[in-house]
Amino acid sequence: MKDKYKYIVIVVMFATILGGFFFGNILAADKDISYDERRPLEQFPDVNIDDILSVDFMEDFDKYALDQFVFRDAWRSIKAFWLYNVFGQSDNGGIYVVDGNVSKIQYPLKDSSIVKGAEKFNTLIEKYFPNNNVFYSVIPDKNYYIAEANGYLDLDYDKMMKLLQEGMGDNGTYINIFDSLDEDDYYNTDLHWSQDKVLEVANTLAKAMGVYDEIKDVEYAENVIEGFKGVYGGQYPLPLDPESLVYLTSEGMDNWVVKKLDEKNPIVDEALNMETTTVYATDRFEGTDPYDVFLHGANPIITIENGNNPEGKELFIFRDSFSSSLSPLLVEGYSKVTLIDLRYITADIMGQYIDFGENNDVLFLYGTAVLNNTSLLKV
Amino acid sequence: MLFSSITFLFYFLPVVILLYFAVPFKAKNFVLFLASIFFYFWGEPVYSLLMLFTITSGYVHGRLIEKYRGTKASKTWMISSVVISLALLGVFKYTDFFIETINGVVGSDLDPLRLALPIGISFYTFQTLSYTIDLYRGNAKVQKSWLNFATYVSLFPQLIAGPIVRYTTVADQLTVRKHSMEFVAQGSSRFIIGLAKKVLIANLLGEFIAAFKDSADQSVLFFWLYAIAISLHIYFDFSGYSDMAIGLGKIFGFDFLENFNYPFISKNVTDFWRRWHISLGTWFKDYVYIPLGGNRVTTMRWILNIAVVWFLTGFWHGAGWTFITWGCYFGVLLVLEKFFITKFLAKLPKFVSYIYTVIIIMMSFIIFDATTLKGALGTIGGLFGAGGVPLISQSAIYYLKSYSLIFVMAIVGATPIPKYLYNKINQSGETAKNIMNIVEILFVGSLFILIVAYLIDGSFNPFLYFRF
């Protein structure tokens, strides 16, 4: 090809790419949500003098231009394909895949976060649970089972547990569930475990808390929703096999009353404003996070009253999202289970409105990701 | 507005190019000026007025210098121009540094002004100074059109991160310049290559550096990888920006001088500074070093001249002791090279000179990247195992494996090898040249697509030299 034609082709190509995407971006309708990325997309910012002079408008427009770029998901796939297969990089923003199992690197261990977390738990125990039975356990992320063996970075779990147990001292009994899990118990496309695979975890916890006899004979029916793609699946923009989301039901659940805090109007007449709901929310499967099927996803306070065991103890679980699927498996051991998520409610407010009673069980049950970021806990 | 942003690439640039080529020649500078003001306003709405003031000050001083040429007043106006420009730079860039230094030395409790640093002020101040000084010296003709002068100072391709384009370089092009398909094609290719250096190499090395800084699992290997990464990161970030500026300039008919010439193949520090940020090095040489007497003075005076120039070079890069140390580090090395090192190296095999230079450069960029001198010394110590860090760590191995191809690309890309191979094939016959033309089109097009993909799914995208 002669130079003259090369110049023409380059100019036409450059102009076509610039002009094509300029008009494409202007003409394409804006989207509200990226289902793949599980997040709302930036919308065209309001135009006003204050925002322009403070550069907020420009910064928001930059985000808008990125989020609403035409064929955004296809661009993300191109980048991911190139990154993994040509540049040979091990992870894409921490996301890696081993035999179709997607995970995200949790690294490094933040020692101070673990120490601070133990201090926060101790503060709660000393203030609210002097006469209750306190337990604590740690949910390993799935990197614990797949990272090191496949050459990926992971947390120093031994050090994490040592720091936590040293920090907790005699405040509570540690329950080890690391040995009750393996990599197959987690979804391939999500960070969470599958409810039907954690019965052993529930049994381990129940044995330690003395309620194993009440839960051991519960029979569950498996309910399956096909086409599950978890949050990691969305962050990994290359093709993955869809999975099945399984949720367990039992006859006894008919006698449960589930309530969650009305987050829009949380306090009414100086009491928590709880609204009755269901254990499972299958309509949430089509939302941005299908794992919200379990107990409707994130909520500061959820209670499950168990009509099958009215004389039993109460259980208070300080928790993250893993407990949404696990806690229903423990309910038959108690008269009432209360789930408290301190990422969304402060300990002071919680303490004002919840009566923890005496001789009840308290379980601090957090995943390693939250323990490594305990600044999220509002204590 | 970053060149490597969707806003610039797919909103601003298409509109500006379209308008620029749609209007007659006499309106082109007006389009460029408006575009440049909008470009600056996007990132610095309030400081746009400061830039307009600087432009007008430079323009008025230029007219006055010319008007009183041959009299003492001409010199007075030149000095006035220098004082005003440097005063603005001093107030906005260096006031807090001086306040904090005074507080530290005498124990006072003066409040810093905490003024935001106007983007690119170091660059456009130096450009304005080059005009008034060259005009006074008789090396440049007065610019009678405010619009043309404003277009020169504010020209968006080089406004906020250089290269420092001297007025004399583009004076003629402000009134007469050629536009052609060839220039636009060459400019577009150069722009895309620069963008690729920034997005596909510098940003990825930046991610590696962030991982190093976050890691609690340091090792000697990790420190050395960091030293290599930060050196290449700064080079690809800054030279990528210069490539983009030169490419954009070419699209609009301007010829900017080269700013880098493979600095990592330098055989000593003196050579390095002939190849690194050439527009800054020559600026200090012509406007500070030579007026001080250059090397045609006594040895002690020459050392003083070197000290002044390199103190200012460091200080220009940032109002902090790490930058001053960085500049002085080079000053000391240049003096040592003059008297000892060059003679010593001449007796050794050539590769020793290259290794010496690369190590010296890596050390310098560790200082450049550090927030404190203590931090810089800690990192340099880490290279040699100070503090008992192990030789190898799990993190170092992981990131080395993950970024190995990026490192190889960056190291090879920092040498003239790709250009040599390109020229070699191009010159090997008509058929090979024709094939290379097709390859070039596919290469540039693919790069652009890949860059867009990385921009849309990327998070690490700052430009280092915006802060200067």
Side-chain angles (χ1 to χ4, degrees):
Chain A
M1 180 185 274
K2 302 290 181 194
D3 283 349
K4 185 174 80 173
Y5 298 118
K6 178 181 80 174
Y7 297 142
I8 292 170
V9 173
I10 288 177
V11 170
V12 169
M13 182 176 70
F14 190 64
T16 304
I17 294 175
L18 289 187
F21 288 114
F22 170 70
F23 288 112
N25 287 327
I26 287 177
L27 296 175
D30 290 347
K31 294 177 182 170
D32 294 330
I33 290 173
S34 166
Y35 285 97
D36 271 351
E37 295 172 82
R38 314 286 178 201
R39 66 180 181 89
L41 296 173
E42 191 79 21
Q43 301 300 303
F44 192 89
D46 292 335
V47 184
N48 62 66
I49 293 294
D50 287 344
D51 284 354
I52 288 172
L53 291 179
S54 65
V55 202
D56 287 348
F57 172 82
M58 290 75 154
E59 289 172 359
D60 289 344
F61 184 87
D62 285 343
K63 291 178 198 162
Y64 162 80
L66 262 181
D67 273 9
Q68 299 291 349
F69 201 87
V70 285
F71 312 127
R72 177 178 167 79
D73 292 336
W75 290 109
R76 293 180 60 239
S77 299
I78 291 171
K79 184 225 175 173
F81 178 84
W82 190 271
L83 180 147
Y84 290 119
N85 299 299
V86 182
F87 280 172
Q89 290 202 260
S90 306
D91 65 88
N92 181 12
I95 294 287
Y96 67 93
V97 61
V98 175
D99 298 331
N101 191 355
V102 187
S103 192
K104 187 168 191 175
I105 291 172
Q106 309 280 348
Y107 181 86
L109 177 68
K110 299 172 191 163
D111 296 11
S112 60
S113 173
I114 310 301
V115 171
K116 196 75 185 169
E119 286 172 10
K120 290 184 175 186
F121 297 160
N122 287 331
T123 301
L124 292 172
I125 291 166
E126 286 159 16
K127 188 168 182 182
Y128 299 112
F129 320 123
N131 300 312
N132 286 313
N133 315 307
V134 177
F135 303 89
Y136 64 96
S137 185
V138 175
I139 302 166
D141 56 275
K142 63 178 166 180
N143 296 304
Y144 177 75
Y145 302 100
I146 64 173
E148 191 175 354
N150 292 285
Y152 293 94
L153 294 173
D154 60 0
L155 298 172
D156 183 342
Y157 296 95
D158 290 339
K159 188 177 183 188
M160 171 185 262
M161 295 317 306
K162 185 168 178 281
L163 287 170
L164 182 65
Q165 288 177 287
E166 282 176 0
M168 293 297 287
D170 295 330
N171 279 336
T173 304
Y174 172 63
I175 308 172
N176 181 0
I177 59 171
F178 279 62
D179 300 332
S180 304
L181 289 160
D182 62 44
E183 66 177 272
D184 295 330
D185 296 334
Y186 297 81
Y187 284 104
N188 280 348
T189 61
D190 200 77
L191 72 161
H192 295 106
W193 51 29
S194 182
Q195 191 185 36
D196 58 316
K197 307 278 182 64
V198 293
L199 288 165
E200 189 183 336
V201 172
N203 289 340
T204 302
L205 293 171
K207 280 176 188 169
M209 296 190 290
V211 295
Y212 177 62
D213 287 344
E214 284 87 341
I215 73 161
K216 67 181 181 183
D217 296 324
V218 177
E219 292 186 0
Y220 293 102
E222 290 191 355
N223 306 270
V224 179
I225 308 177
E226 299 293 350
F228 175 73
K229 187 175 170 187
V231 287
Y232 287 169
Q235 291 175 34
Y236 179 78
L238 294 175
L240 287 168
D241 291 334
E243 299 184 274
S244 304
L245 182 139
V246 178
Y247 64 96
L248 303 175
T249 51
S250 64
E251 287 183 4
M253 283 183 181
D254 294 340
N255 295 321
W256 296 1
V257 177
V258 183
K259 293 178 182 174
K260 63 182 174 109
L261 187 70
D262 181 349
E263 292 180 86
K264 290 179 183 165
N265 195 17
I267 309 293
V268 173
D269 295 335
E270 297 188 3
L272 295 174
N273 183 24
M274 305 294 286
E275 54 183 357
T276 303
T277 184
T278 54
V279 178
Y280 301 112
T282 51
D283 58 316
R284 301 289 287 269
F285 188 77
E286 300 299 332
T288 53
D289 185 355
Y291 204 76
D292 287 352
V293 163
F294 297 100
L295 286 174
H296 301 258
N299 189 284
I301 297 174
I302 294 173
T303 60
I304 306 173
E305 293 167 29
N306 178 14
N308 303 314
N309 187 5
E311 303 303 319
K313 296 183 290 185
E314 286 190 38
L315 171 64
F316 298 91
I317 304 178
F318 289 87
R319 60 96 175 207
D320 55 23
S321 54
F322 282 86
S323 290
S324 295
S325 57
L326 177 77
S327 57
L329 309 180
L330 295 170
V331 170
E332 290 299 352
Y334 296 92
S335 60
K336 183 179 178 183
V337 173
T338 301
L339 302 167
I340 301 159
D341 196 333
L342 290 172
R343 293 173 300 175
Y344 307 113
I345 189 170
T346 65
D348 286 343
I349 293 177
M350 170 203 77
Q352 282 179 41
Y353 296 102
I354 296 180
D355 178 10
F356 295 99
E358 292 187 354
N359 296 318
N360 289 316
D361 289 348
V362 176
L363 173 63
F364 291 93
L365 181 60
Y366 285 103
T368 49
V370 171
L371 280 177
N372 210 30
N373 293 283
T374 50
S375 59
L376 296 170
L377 303 177
K378 297 176 179 174
V379 179
Chain B
M1 199 183 300
L2 298 174
F3 286 170
S4 55
S5 70
I6 298 299
T7 307
F8 178 83
L9 289 171
F10 297 108
Y11 289 92
F12 178 83
L13 192 57
V15 172
V16 173
I17 290 177
L18 190 67
L19 283 175
Y20 181 81
F21 286 102
V23 301
F25 186 84
K26 63 182 178 184
K28 287 190 189 302
N29 280 359
F30 184 63
V31 169
L32 280 181
F33 171 67
L34 281 187
S36 299
I37 291 296
F38 180 82
F39 177 86
Y40 197 79
F41 182 87
W42 190 264
E44 297 279 12
V46 177
Y47 285 149
S48 299
L49 296 174
L50 178 69
M51 192 179 67
L52 288 172
F53 175 80
T54 303
I55 289 169
T56 305
S57 169
Y59 171 77
V60 170
H61 278 93
R63 296 298 298 264
L64 291 168
I65 289 166
E66 183 64 19
K67 182 178 177 182
Y68 293 102
R69 182 169 295 286
T71 69
K72 282 186 179 177
S74 183
K75 187 173 186 178
T76 305
W77 287 117
M78 187 273 288
I79 292 169
S80 164
S81 160
V82 171
V83 169
I84 289 173
S85 294
L86 292 181
L88 289 175
L89 186 63
V91 167
F92 286 97
K93 186 167 179 175
Y94 298 108
T95 305
D96 284 357
F97 170 78
F98 287 121
I99 289 174
E100 284 162 10
T101 302
I102 291 167
N103 284 344
V105 172
V106 303
S108 56
D109 195 22
L110 301 171
D111 286 332
L113 299 181
R114 294 194 176 86
L115 294 171
L117 178 68
I119 295 172
I121 189 170
S122 303
F123 289 95
Y124 68 71
T125 299
F126 271 35
Q127 294 196 167
T128 308
L129 287 176
S130 83
Y131 167 68
T132 50
I133 295 171
D134 281 351
L135 182 63
Y136 171 76
R137 289 173 171 175
N139 296 334
K141 289 180 183 170
V142 69
Q143 178 53 261
K144 292 180 179 171
S145 160
W146 183 89
L147 177 64
N148 284 355
F149 184 71
T151 303
Y152 155 66
V153 176
S154 67
L155 200 57
F156 76 85
Q158 45 76 50
L159 171 61
I160 49 182
I164 301 167
V165 178
R166 292 197 206 177
Y167 178 76
T168 48
T169 305
V170 294
D172 294 340
Q173 294 161 24
L174 286 168
T175 47
V176 181
R177 58 185 180 270
K178 188 181 161 192
H179 301 93
S180 72
M181 189 69 82
E182 182 182 349
F183 283 1
V184 176
Q186 289 173 345
S188 307
S189 296
R190 185 73 183 266
F191 176 77
I192 292 168
I193 298 286
L195 197 55
K197 285 166 82 171
K198 163 67 184 162
V199 176
L200 301 180
I201 297 182
N203 282 3
L204 299 185
L205 289 171
E207 289 175 6
F208 176 91
I209 291 160
F212 166 80
K213 290 179 177 174
D214 278 349
S215 177
D217 188 24
Q218 306 291 16
S219 61
V220 172
L221 174 63
F222 216 171
F223 277 107
W224 278 100
L225 290 173
Y226 160 74
I228 296 168
I230 189 65
S231 305
L232 292 168
H233 171 63
I234 292 171
Y235 169 67
F236 278 96
D237 190 279
F238 192 21
S239 74
Y241 193 94
S242 291
D243 285 339
M244 286 185 263
I246 292 167
L248 285 171
K250 194 133 194 167
I251 290 173
F252 298 114
F254 290 95
D255 264 326
F256 300 154
L257 299 179
E258 294 295 334
N259 209 21
F260 290 88
N261 183 24
Y262 304 108
F264 289 102
I265 62 162
S266 306
K267 56 184 183 294
N268 53 44
V269 173
T270 311
D271 190 24
F272 173 76
W273 274 101
R274 290 191 194 111
R275 296 168 175 272
W276 176 274
H277 203 171
I278 297 166
S279 63
L280 181 73
T282 53
W283 197 99
F284 273 110
K285 180 185 163 199
D286 291 344
Y287 299 108
V288 181
Y289 181 66
I290 299 295
L292 287 173
N295 58 3
R296 295 180 178 177
V297 288
T298 62
T299 301
M300 286 311 293
R301 178 59 199 251
W302 176 75
I303 290 172
L304 179 67
N305 292 348
I306 289 284
V308 169
V309 166
W310 289 97
F311 172 86
L312 291 176
T313 301
F315 207 34
W316 179 90
H317 279 84
W321 287 106
T322 52
F323 291 111
I324 292 171
T325 306
W326 181 76
C328 294
Y329 168 88
F330 279 116
V332 170
L333 280 164
L334 288 168
V335 171
L336 291 176
E337 280 193 356
K338 171 94 173 173
F339 291 115
F340 310 108
I341 297 174
T342 308
K343 289 172 194 164
F344 178 69
L345 289 173
K347 295 173 188 167
L348 300 172
K350 264 188 176 178
F351 75 89
V352 177
S353 299
Y354 293 117
I355 292 172
Y356 150 79
T357 311
V358 166
I359 290 174
I360 290 292
I361 293 168
M362 285 197 298
M363 301 288 181
S364 81
F365 287 125
I366 288 173
I367 298 169
F368 190 90
D369 187 47
T371 48
T372 63
L373 288 175
K374 190 180 172 190
L377 289 174
T379 305
I380 291 170
L383 295 172
F384 305 100
V389 289
L391 279 178
I392 294 173
S393 59
Q394 185 193 4
S395 307
I397 297 292
Y398 176 78
Y399 287 113
L400 175 60
K401 185 181 157 209
S402 190
Y403 285 84
S404 54
L405 192 62
I406 313 290
F407 272 101
V408 170
M409 277 170 38
I411 290 168
V412 174
T415 71
I417 294 171
K419 190 176 180 183
Y420 170 80
L421 292 175
Y422 174 84
N423 290 338
K424 188 88 176 166
I425 297 170
N426 249 350
Q427 290 158 7
S428 63
E430 194 62 24
T431 308
K433 188 174 188 304
N434 289 340
I435 291 171
M436 278 305 286
N437 279 346
I438 295 171
V439 170
E440 189 179 333
I441 291 167
L442 294 173
F443 178 69
V444 170
S446 307
L447 266 189
F448 203 7
I449 296 295
L450 199 57
I451 288 163
V452 175
Y454 266 78
L455 285 178
I456 286 173
D457 197 35
S459 56
F460 189 95
N461 196 19
F463 266 116
L464 292 177
Y465 267 69
F466 273 22
R467 58 181 163 147
F468 302 139

